[in-house]
Amino acid sequence: MKVKQKLGDAIDLLYSRGCATSEAYTRLVLECVRSKDVAQAKRLHSHMELHLFHPTNTFLHNRLLHLYAKYGRLEDARNLFDKMPKRDVLSWNAMLSAFAKSGSVEDLGEAFDQMPERDSVSFDTMIAGLSRNGCPRNALEVFVRMRRQGFEPSEYTFASLLRASSQLLDLRLGKQIHGRVVAGHMSGNVFVWNGLTNLYAKCGDINRARWLFDRLVNKDIVSWNLMISGYLINGEPRKCIDLFSEMQVSGLKPDQVSSSNVVSAYFQTGCIDEAIETFYGIKEKDKICWTTMIVNCTQNGREEDAFMLFGNMLAENVIPDSFTISSVVSSCAKLASLFHGQAIHGKAILMGVDDDLLVSSALVHMYCKCGVTSDARLVFEMMPNRNVVSWTAVIGGYAQNGLDLQALALYEQMLEENTKPDNVTLVGVLSACIHANLVEKGQKYFDSISKKHGMTPTLDHYACMICLFGRSGNIDKALDLVKSMPHEPNSLIWSTLLSVCAMKNDIKNAEMAAEHLFKLDPFNAGPYIILSNMYATYGRWKDVASIRSLMKIKNVKKFSAYSWIEIDNMVHKFVSEDRSHPETEKIYGELNILVRKVQGAGFTPNSNFVLHDIGEKEKIESICYHSEKLALVFGLIKKPQEWIPIRIMKNIRICGDCHQFMKFVSKVTGRSIILRDLNRFHHFVGGTCSCKDYW
């Protein structure tokens, strides 16, 4: 600090006296370079211009150029370069470095081509700049020019070439460069050795990468980080964690990169607490650290933690990027938290990243997942650019919200704009056909996957077609499709078949599908419950008892059905006949009043949906207090304003009685109700539902 202060004082003195000698300018420029003080260098440069000082050679200007280039001051470097009366190869090399540093690849290429003469540093800077800015093939082309012009590659050349090979995932080319490294006796250089380790790790030869790593004598932090990340990208998180521990034992202190990688590794192995502990052990967390943690929380069902981390990140004045924002928006989508989603959307607008393709696509998905398709469409229409992810988000979202024909119209528009769909897009399209019962159209779209788009239908596509055939009453056609599939049917296929058999009361084929699921996924309670419910519907209580006994023997745990609703930024969760809520008495009192009100309008509780061997009175009492009904009434109590829709989430499919109840409530109260269950959204308005009652 004292050195910089003295430097500033010296330049202040210079401004008070006028023009200085060449020796004084030289001494001050070198002091600016030594202390890395770009601001004072800029002041000194301005003083030289002010007093029309012109150096007799390029030395001073070149020192300033290199300083500007090193610290990303491209415009300052460009202005100085353009005014230089004389330029040499060092001047041009400094500009190449400035362009490379700023990511100006086009300017980098133009400057290189305009150079009156080049040296090996020119080629090294060009190759490094291209490889660092995502142009690996161009970097290799420049290397060919370098060799043709007779320049010998250095260790820096090979380090850049290895980076380019890694980006291309071209192991064959990388091995050729490896051979040149050995022939040139440069294998002892740590930069080159790190490049080799990275090459083999990125290209999937993790054992060769480890062999190289173990033989590197002077390992630096980059060496360890490359090997740790290598294990991570090759799907070996446990070895990643072990190597991280080995690094600490060696006495080398982990940096943000190594810590971020091991946090991801802990998440992959299910060690969430260890990941959190490691994260909070990082003293200076940068944007990458925060984003890594937030993304992993989002991907591992810790959405609430993702919200908290995002808040902490902002509190520590770390500026998030578009990737961070899109990850937090994805958490909002998973929780169907419109409040948080709108808040993050506002933050994205303030930051100026709401038009970013990643962020806007996530916002479209989030609004669809919250049932607000109008806002999703607004974001979608305002996007300056769209890709297949954007189209897929809006098409799938519309299909899930019962806007099936609009979803298909969007798909046709997507094709007209020459955007090629992917497998996920076509799942959304087929889902729209399922909800709209468009069998022929669904078949046409399914056939187009291979015939028109050149893709192979996935198990997800086959599951959609089985559902489409089954729900339309063509169980035999669904069975034929299962038998003719080129894939071995998995649990998704059999569970889809089981669901449609249950819908159509086809016990014989349901038993067959369930038997497959008992073998493929023996601890999944779903198939047992569906088959048990089918037996209960027909009063086959001995078979019901047999299924329950089988679950007990296999230690299959039945998951709890629950609903939740967000009120004033707090989530309230309910289970059937729940009496744990602080406002239970009021909720049950209002629910009883509401039941009598809708009964007066023609609603009759359907006890057939109570699949227990109990009396009729007990069945009616049980069905009246399902979790979604409790959540609904709580929402009506807390949100009395008629224009505000009630938003409810449920972790399983809504039962037929509750579905009918919601329709009647929307009619007698005039309130809009949006319920998201396991399968889709139900928009209840004026006594109707967006799902068209397709049960």
Side-chain angles (χ1 to χ4, degrees), residues 497-513:
L497 182 62
L498 176 58
S499 295
V500 294
C501 288
M503 189 181 297
K504 299 301 176 182
N505 295 317
D506 185 341
I507 288 186
K508 179 182 175 183
N509 286 313
E511 288 175 329
M512 179 269 293

Side-chain angles (χ1 to χ4, degrees), residues 104-152:
S104 304
V105 176
E106 190 174 332
D107 290 331
L108 174 65
E110 287 181 6
F112 184 76
D113 291 336
Q114 290 171 8
M115 291 180 71
E117 61 174 323
R118 305 181 188 93
D119 59 11
S120 60
V121 176
S122 312
F123 280 99
D124 280 347
T125 305
M126 187 68 180
I127 294 168
L130 290 170
S131 67
R132 287 186 184 279
N133 286 286
C135 303
R137 294 191 187 281
N138 303 82
L140 295 170
E141 290 170 5
V142 173
F143 174 67
V144 172
R145 288 175 63 182
M146 179 184 186
R147 297 295 294 124
R148 283 176 181 168
Q149 292 185 25
F151 291 101
E152 288 296 322

Side-chain angles (χ1 to χ4, degrees), residues 624-643:
C624 282
Y625 303 125
H626 276 188
S627 62
E628 52 265 63
K629 290 189 176 90
L630 297 173
L632 169 64
V633 171
F634 185 65
L636 291 170
I637 292 169
K638 294 297 179 181
K639 295 185 176 182
Q641 302 91 339
E642 292 186 2
W643 65 88

Side-chain angles (χ1 to χ4, degrees), residues 164-444:
S165 302
S166 301
Q167 290 170 358
L168 294 169
L169 299 180
D170 192 334
L171 186 58
R172 180 172 162 274
L173 173 64
K175 285 182 175 180
Q176 291 177 358
I177 296 168
H178 190 175
R180 284 175 173 263
V181 167
V182 173
H185 304 289
M186 297 181 188
S187 55
N189 183 280
V190 69
F191 298 111
V192 175
W193 206 269
N194 286 343
L196 288 167
T197 304
N198 185 49
L199 166 75
Y200 286 105
K202 286 273 181 69
C203 293
D205 192 347
I206 193 65
N207 292 329
R208 172 65 64 176
R210 183 59 191 259
W211 185 89
L212 288 163
F213 174 79
D214 287 340
R215 279 151 186 78
L216 178 58
V217 179
N218 300 314
K219 298 181 182 71
D220 59 11
I221 187 68
V222 176
S223 314
W224 287 93
N225 286 345
L226 289 172
M227 196 64 228
I228 287 169
S229 66
Y231 277 130
L232 191 64
I233 63 176
N234 280 278
E236 297 189 38
R238 179 48 60 189
K239 288 186 178 179
C240 172
I241 294 167
D242 292 341
L243 190 61
F244 180 77
S245 300
E246 191 179 324
M247 173 186 177
Q248 291 175 303
V249 170
S250 73
L252 195 61
K253 188 178 179 181
D255 65 1
Q256 294 169 345
V257 176
S258 43
S259 297
S260 294
N261 280 324
V262 84
V263 163
S264 295
Y266 276 128
F267 271 105
Q268 287 185 20
T269 55
C271 303
I272 311 296
D273 293 335
E274 287 84 349
I276 293 171
E277 183 182 348
T278 302
F279 174 77
Y280 282 110
I282 305 171
K283 289 184 178 180
E284 293 183 7
K285 294 180 273 289
D286 63 3
K287 180 171 57 182
I288 295 172
C289 289
W290 285 102
T291 302
T292 299
M293 193 66 185
I294 289 168
V295 169
N296 277 295
C297 283
T298 301
Q299 293 175 347
N300 286 273
R302 302 287 286 260
E303 290 83 9
E304 293 91 346
D305 289 330
F307 290 151
M308 181 188 69
L309 285 162
F310 184 67
N312 292 343
M313 178 182 185
L314 296 177
E316 294 195 17
N317 297 317
V318 180
I319 300 173
D321 59 14
S322 57
F323 192 58
T324 320
I325 295 288
S326 64
S327 298
V328 181
V329 171
S330 296
S331 289
C332 299
K334 287 184 178 181
L335 291 175
S337 178
L338 183 60
F339 175 86
H340 286 102
Q342 289 172 329
I344 304 300
H345 189 177
K347 185 68 179 176
I349 292 171
L350 288 173
M351 291 175 56
V353 297
D354 55 310
D355 283 342
D356 180 88
L357 192 57
L358 199 62
V359 173
S360 50
S361 297
L363 286 168
V364 169
H365 179 65
M366 182 273 295
Y367 280 119
C368 285
K369 282 290 185 181
C370 292
V372 192
T373 51
S374 57
D375 286 354
R377 186 61 179 265
L378 185 63
V379 173
F380 179 76
E381 294 295 345
M382 291 177 68
M383 292 175 68
N385 299 296
R386 299 171 190 145
N387 63 3
V388 66
V389 177
S390 321
W391 284 101
T392 299
V394 73
I395 290 167
Y398 266 45
Q400 208 176 31
N401 279 277
L403 302 171
D404 313 311
L405 298 181
Q406 292 96 317
L408 297 178
L410 280 164
Y411 177 64
E412 295 298 337
Q413 183 185 339
M414 173 187 176
L415 297 180
E416 287 173 8
E417 294 188 16
N418 296 318
T419 302
K420 185 179 179 181
D422 61 12
N423 287 326
V424 184
T425 316
L426 286 153
V427 169
V429 171
L430 293 175
S431 297
C433 294
I434 291 169
H435 299 145
N437 197 25
L438 300 172
V439 180
E440 290 183 8
K441 206 159 194 174
Q443 183 70 64
K444 185 192 84 170

Side-chain angles (χ1 to χ4, degrees), residues 636 639-644 646 665-666 669-673 684:
L636 291 170
K639 295 185 176 182
Q641 302 91 339
E642 292 186 2
W643 65 88
I644 299 178
I646 305 298
V665 172
S666 72
T669 64
R671 299 295 296 270
S672 170
I673 303 166
F684 300 96

Side-chain angles (χ1 to χ4, degrees), residues 32-72:
C32 288
V33 172
R34 191 183 68 80
S35 60
K36 304 172 185 177
D37 198 329
V38 182
Q40 295 300 340
K42 184 75 169 61
R43 289 184 67 209
L44 189 60
H45 178 203
S46 297
H47 189 274
M48 291 163 65
E49 289 185 328
L50 181 66
H51 293 280
L52 304 176
F53 173 78
H54 299 292
T56 56
N57 56 40
T58 60
F59 178 80
L60 280 182
H61 283 160
N62 283 347
R63 297 285 73 73
L64 288 170
L65 275 177
H66 279 284
L67 184 64
Y68 291 152
K70 186 175 182 179
Y71 293 98

